[in-house]
Amino acid sequence: MAPTDETGQAAQHPSIPGAPPPAGPPADTAAGPSPRMPRWLPRAMVLALSLVAVFQLGSWAFHQLTGLLINVLIAFFLALAVEPAVSWMAARGVRRGLGTFLVFLAVLVVAAGFVTLLGSMLAGQIIKIVEDFPDYLDSVINWVNAHFDTELRRVDIQEGLLRSDWLRNYVQNSATGVLDVSAQVLGGLFQLLTVALFSFYFAADGPRLRRTICSVLPPARQTEVLRAWEIAVNKTGGYLYSRGLMALVSGLAHYVLLEFLEVPYAPVLAVWVGLVSQFIPTIGTYLAGALPMLIAFTVDPWYALWVLVFVVIYQQFENYVLQPKLTSKTVDIHPAVAFGSVVAGTALLGAVGALIAIPAIATLQAFLGAYVRRYDVTDDPRVHGHRGPGRGPGLITRTRRLWGRRPGSAGGRDEGAGAG
């Protein structure tokens, strides 16, 4: 046993010359990790915080610029719509800037004339309704007194209406809302000016814009971009021109009806029906037919019914005869796809999305059609919508045979006679 000192530890022997030094105590394997931070951790934290800050800044900027982006989108589709007319004039020696200005001037003159005629018509009808309101009120009061044994008088009703709290509150709210309406009108004019300015630059500088985009793309991508641009121009312009032609046909048809019924303001109402029914998707037909029905009702209630019947019949003619022929080469998409695109566009961008949804879907469908490989369809009767041979007679044939086998029928007697 080795000698020990007073502390109980083994006594240390003197080192022998030339002998290796004694091994130190074993390392403490239970010790924790090094307290130093890895070098990549600060950089990762800075990078993560930077990405979060950039995302928040981008989200804030996108929400702040949503209105401007929508205006630019509208301007782009408007420029695509007028591109064929501008290119046609440019091919005949007219500068693109001047041609774009002439196209926009023509659109502005037509829109201003339509708004002026429609405003004069509405002002005349409002004045007529105000002037004839006492007569209408007297007729209603006489009808109520005759059927309900009351003694109402127009003077009492007018005084009660003028002294009512509802009218006082309405006047106060209208007075306080004048500034809000003025601000909305100014905002709408500014948006209209923004859209017109961007669309003018897009249409006038179309070749320069295409060169700028293609300059940052390889040649193969340049071909695809130019092809997509051409398809978008053809589909958007075709959609606009086909809708304009259908609006012209619709306006002429309704003008003939309104003139035949001697409804006032027939030309303006015909233009209203043509434009609203064609350029406002889904609900445009109902909005277009409501105003002529209202004006016709002031002439004769039966005239309003005739207008309603004509609107319904003409809508069926347009859906199944006129529209397929005019849009077969421009925006040939399935009606269900068109309706779904309008609903989706309305959910995303409101009325703007509903207006540009159909040409956008038509452009996408035409562009993707070039990259979809198609095969010959098998000659199966189920593909052609009828049952093939060997599957038994059809419903009409079976019905005729059962009818011929009825006892006492002519066919049954003839068969019996032939058998005898």
Short mmCIF file of all heavy atoms in Angstrom, two decimals, residues 69-70 72-78 236 239 279 281 341-342 345-346 349-363:
data_model
loop_
_atom_site.label_atom_id
_atom_site.label_comp_id
_atom_site.label_asym_id
_atom_site.label_seq_id
_atom_site.Cartn_x
_atom_site.Cartn_y
_atom_site.Cartn_z
N LEU A 69 -52.07 50.59 -58.97
CA LEU A 69 -51.86 49.38 -59.75
C LEU A 69 -53.12 48.99 -60.53
O LEU A 69 -53.03 48.55 -61.69
CB LEU A 69 -51.45 48.23 -58.82
CG LEU A 69 -50.10 48.41 -58.11
CD1 LEU A 69 -49.85 47.23 -57.17
CD2 LEU A 69 -48.97 48.53 -59.11
N ILE A 70 -54.28 49.17 -59.93
CA ILE A 70 -55.53 48.88 -60.65
C ILE A 70 -55.71 49.83 -61.82
O ILE A 70 -56.12 49.44 -62.92
CB ILE A 70 -56.72 48.93 -59.69
CG1 ILE A 70 -56.63 47.79 -58.67
CG2 ILE A 70 -58.04 48.86 -60.45
CD1 ILE A 70 -57.73 47.81 -57.63
N VAL A 72 -53.32 51.30 -63.49
CA VAL A 72 -52.36 50.91 -64.52
C VAL A 72 -52.85 49.67 -65.27
O VAL A 72 -52.69 49.58 -66.51
CB VAL A 72 -50.98 50.66 -63.88
CG1 VAL A 72 -50.01 50.05 -64.88
CG2 VAL A 72 -50.41 51.96 -63.33
N LEU A 73 -53.47 48.73 -64.57
CA LEU A 73 -54.01 47.54 -65.22
C LEU A 73 -55.13 47.91 -66.19
O LEU A 73 -55.19 47.39 -67.32
CB LEU A 73 -54.51 46.56 -64.17
CG LEU A 73 -55.08 45.22 -64.68
CD1 LEU A 73 -53.99 44.44 -65.40
CD2 LEU A 73 -55.65 44.41 -63.54
N ILE A 74 -56.02 48.80 -65.77
CA ILE A 74 -57.09 49.26 -66.66
C ILE A 74 -56.50 49.95 -67.88
O ILE A 74 -56.94 49.75 -69.03
CB ILE A 74 -58.04 50.20 -65.91
CG1 ILE A 74 -58.71 49.47 -64.74
CG2 ILE A 74 -59.12 50.74 -66.84
CD1 ILE A 74 -59.53 50.39 -63.85
N ALA A 75 -55.50 50.81 -67.65
CA ALA A 75 -54.87 51.52 -68.75
C ALA A 75 -54.20 50.56 -69.73
O ALA A 75 -54.25 50.77 -70.95
CB ALA A 75 -53.86 52.52 -68.20
N PHE A 76 -53.59 49.51 -69.21
CA PHE A 76 -52.93 48.54 -70.09
C PHE A 76 -53.93 47.83 -70.99
O PHE A 76 -53.70 47.69 -72.20
CB PHE A 76 -52.17 47.52 -69.23
CG PHE A 76 -51.46 46.48 -70.03
CD1 PHE A 76 -50.32 46.79 -70.76
CD2 PHE A 76 -51.92 45.17 -70.06
CE1 PHE A 76 -49.66 45.83 -71.51
CE2 PHE A 76 -51.28 44.20 -70.80
CZ PHE A 76 -50.14 44.53 -71.53
N PHE A 77 -55.06 47.39 -70.44
CA PHE A 77 -56.07 46.73 -71.27
C PHE A 77 -56.73 47.71 -72.23
O PHE A 77 -57.09 47.34 -73.36
CB PHE A 77 -57.12 46.06 -70.38
CG PHE A 77 -56.76 44.67 -69.96
CD1 PHE A 77 -56.08 44.44 -68.78
CD2 PHE A 77 -57.06 43.59 -70.75
CE1 PHE A 77 -55.73 43.16 -68.39
CE2 PHE A 77 -56.72 42.30 -70.38
CZ PHE A 77 -56.05 42.08 -69.20
N LEU A 78 -56.89 48.96 -71.82
CA LEU A 78 -57.44 49.96 -72.74
C LEU A 78 -56.47 50.22 -73.89
O LEU A 78 -56.88 50.38 -75.05
CB LEU A 78 -57.72 51.26 -71.98
CG LEU A 78 -58.37 52.39 -72.79
CD1 LEU A 78 -59.70 51.94 -73.37
CD2 LEU A 78 -58.57 53.62 -71.91
N THR A 236 -58.18 41.24 -76.90
CA THR A 236 -58.80 42.41 -76.27
C THR A 236 -59.48 43.29 -77.30
O THR A 236 -60.62 43.75 -77.11
CB THR A 236 -57.75 43.20 -75.50
OG1 THR A 236 -57.08 42.33 -74.58
CG2 THR A 236 -58.38 44.33 -74.73
N TYR A 239 -62.55 41.49 -78.60
CA TYR A 239 -63.64 41.55 -77.62
C TYR A 239 -64.33 42.91 -77.65
O TYR A 239 -65.56 43.00 -77.65
CB TYR A 239 -63.08 41.26 -76.22
CG TYR A 239 -64.06 41.50 -75.11
CD1 TYR A 239 -65.08 40.59 -74.84
CD2 TYR A 239 -63.97 42.62 -74.30
CE1 TYR A 239 -65.98 40.80 -73.81
CE2 TYR A 239 -64.86 42.85 -73.27
CZ TYR A 239 -65.87 41.94 -73.03
OH TYR A 239 -66.75 42.15 -72.01
N PHE A 279 -71.44 46.06 -72.27
CA PHE A 279 -70.17 46.36 -71.60
C PHE A 279 -70.24 46.23 -70.08
O PHE A 279 -69.26 46.51 -69.40
CB PHE A 279 -69.69 47.76 -71.97
CG PHE A 279 -69.23 47.86 -73.39
CD1 PHE A 279 -70.07 48.36 -74.36
CD2 PHE A 279 -67.98 47.42 -73.76
CE1 PHE A 279 -69.67 48.44 -75.68
CE2 PHE A 279 -67.56 47.50 -75.08
CZ PHE A 279 -68.41 48.01 -76.05
N PRO A 281 -70.93 43.20 -67.62
CA PRO A 281 -71.21 41.77 -67.64
C PRO A 281 -72.27 41.37 -66.62
O PRO A 281 -72.50 42.04 -65.62
CB PRO A 281 -69.84 41.14 -67.31
CG PRO A 281 -68.85 42.23 -67.51
CD PRO A 281 -69.55 43.50 -67.23
N SER A 341 -65.23 33.40 -64.99
CA SER A 341 -64.18 34.42 -65.00
C SER A 341 -64.72 35.77 -64.54
O SER A 341 -64.03 36.51 -63.84
CB SER A 341 -63.59 34.54 -66.40
OG SER A 341 -64.58 34.97 -67.33
N VAL A 342 -65.95 36.08 -64.91
CA VAL A 342 -66.55 37.34 -64.46
C VAL A 342 -66.74 37.34 -62.95
O VAL A 342 -66.46 38.33 -62.26
CB VAL A 342 -67.89 37.59 -65.19
CG1 VAL A 342 -68.66 38.74 -64.55
CG2 VAL A 342 -67.64 37.88 -66.65
N GLY A 345 -63.28 37.65 -61.39
CA GLY A 345 -62.77 39.01 -61.54
C GLY A 345 -63.47 40.00 -60.64
O GLY A 345 -62.84 40.92 -60.08
N THR A 346 -64.77 39.82 -60.46
CA THR A 346 -65.51 40.70 -59.55
C THR A 346 -65.05 40.52 -58.12
O THR A 346 -64.93 41.49 -57.36
CB THR A 346 -67.02 40.42 -59.66
OG1 THR A 346 -67.42 40.56 -61.03
CG2 THR A 346 -67.82 41.39 -58.81
N LEU A 349 -61.23 42.21 -58.14
CA LEU A 349 -61.04 43.63 -58.44
C LEU A 349 -62.34 44.41 -58.59
O LEU A 349 -62.30 45.55 -59.05
CB LEU A 349 -60.22 43.78 -59.74
CG LEU A 349 -58.81 43.19 -59.73
CD1 LEU A 349 -58.17 43.35 -61.09
CD2 LEU A 349 -57.96 43.86 -58.66
N GLY A 350 -63.47 43.81 -58.24
CA GLY A 350 -64.73 44.53 -58.33
C GLY A 350 -65.19 44.68 -59.77
O GLY A 350 -65.04 43.78 -60.60
N ALA A 351 -65.75 45.85 -60.09
CA ALA A 351 -66.29 46.09 -61.43
C ALA A 351 -65.19 46.06 -62.48
O ALA A 351 -65.42 45.63 -63.63
CB ALA A 351 -67.02 47.44 -61.47
N VAL A 352 -63.99 46.49 -62.11
CA VAL A 352 -62.87 46.46 -63.06
C VAL A 352 -62.53 45.02 -63.43
O VAL A 352 -62.31 44.69 -64.60
CB VAL A 352 -61.66 47.18 -62.46
CG1 VAL A 352 -60.46 47.08 -63.40
CG2 VAL A 352 -61.99 48.64 -62.19
N GLY A 353 -62.49 44.16 -62.45
CA GLY A 353 -62.21 42.75 -62.73
C GLY A 353 -63.27 42.11 -63.59
O GLY A 353 -62.97 41.28 -64.46
N ALA A 354 -64.54 42.47 -63.37
CA ALA A 354 -65.61 41.93 -64.20
C ALA A 354 -65.49 42.39 -65.64
O ALA A 354 -65.83 41.66 -66.57
CB ALA A 354 -66.97 42.35 -63.63
N LEU A 355 -64.99 43.60 -65.86
CA LEU A 355 -64.88 44.14 -67.21
C LEU A 355 -63.72 43.52 -67.99
O LEU A 355 -63.85 43.26 -69.19
CB LEU A 355 -64.71 45.66 -67.14
CG LEU A 355 -64.75 46.42 -68.46
CD1 LEU A 355 -66.10 46.22 -69.15
CD2 LEU A 355 -64.48 47.90 -68.25
N ILE A 356 -62.61 43.26 -67.33
CA ILE A 356 -61.42 42.76 -68.04
C ILE A 356 -61.26 41.25 -67.90
O ILE A 356 -60.29 40.70 -68.42
CB ILE A 356 -60.15 43.47 -67.55
CG1 ILE A 356 -59.86 43.09 -66.09
CG2 ILE A 356 -60.26 44.96 -67.72
CD1 ILE A 356 -58.57 43.69 -65.56
N ALA A 357 -62.18 40.59 -67.22
CA ALA A 357 -62.01 39.15 -66.97
C ALA A 357 -62.10 38.35 -68.26
O ALA A 357 -61.27 37.46 -68.51
CB ALA A 357 -63.06 38.67 -65.97
N ILE A 358 -63.08 38.65 -69.11
CA ILE A 358 -63.29 37.85 -70.32
C ILE A 358 -62.12 37.98 -71.29
O ILE A 358 -61.59 36.96 -71.77
CB ILE A 358 -64.63 38.22 -70.96
CG1 ILE A 358 -65.79 37.81 -70.04
CG2 ILE A 358 -64.78 37.54 -72.32
CD1 ILE A 358 -67.15 38.14 -70.58
N PRO A 359 -61.66 39.20 -71.66
CA PRO A 359 -60.48 39.24 -72.54
C PRO A 359 -59.23 38.64 -71.92
O PRO A 359 -58.40 38.06 -72.63
CB PRO A 359 -60.31 40.74 -72.83
CG PRO A 359 -61.05 41.44 -71.76
CD PRO A 359 -62.17 40.55 -71.41
N ALA A 360 -59.07 38.76 -70.61
CA ALA A 360 -57.90 38.17 -69.96
C ALA A 360 -57.94 36.64 -70.05
O ALA A 360 -56.92 36.00 -70.37
CB ALA A 360 -57.82 38.63 -68.51
N ILE A 361 -59.09 36.04 -69.78
CA ILE A 361 -59.21 34.58 -69.87
C ILE A 361 -59.06 34.12 -71.32
O ILE A 361 -58.44 33.07 -71.59
CB ILE A 361 -60.55 34.13 -69.28
CG1 ILE A 361 -60.56 34.36 -67.77
CG2 ILE A 361 -60.81 32.67 -69.57
CD1 ILE A 361 -59.51 33.59 -67.01
N ALA A 362 -59.61 34.88 -72.27
CA ALA A 362 -59.46 34.51 -73.67
C ALA A 362 -58.00 34.56 -74.11
O ALA A 362 -57.53 33.69 -74.85
CB ALA A 362 -60.31 35.44 -74.55
N THR A 363 -57.28 35.56 -73.64
CA THR A 363 -55.85 35.65 -73.96
C THR A 363 -55.08 34.48 -73.36
O THR A 363 -54.23 33.86 -74.02
CB THR A 363 -55.29 36.98 -73.43
OG1 THR A 363 -56.01 38.06 -74.02
CG2 THR A 363 -53.82 37.11 -73.76
#
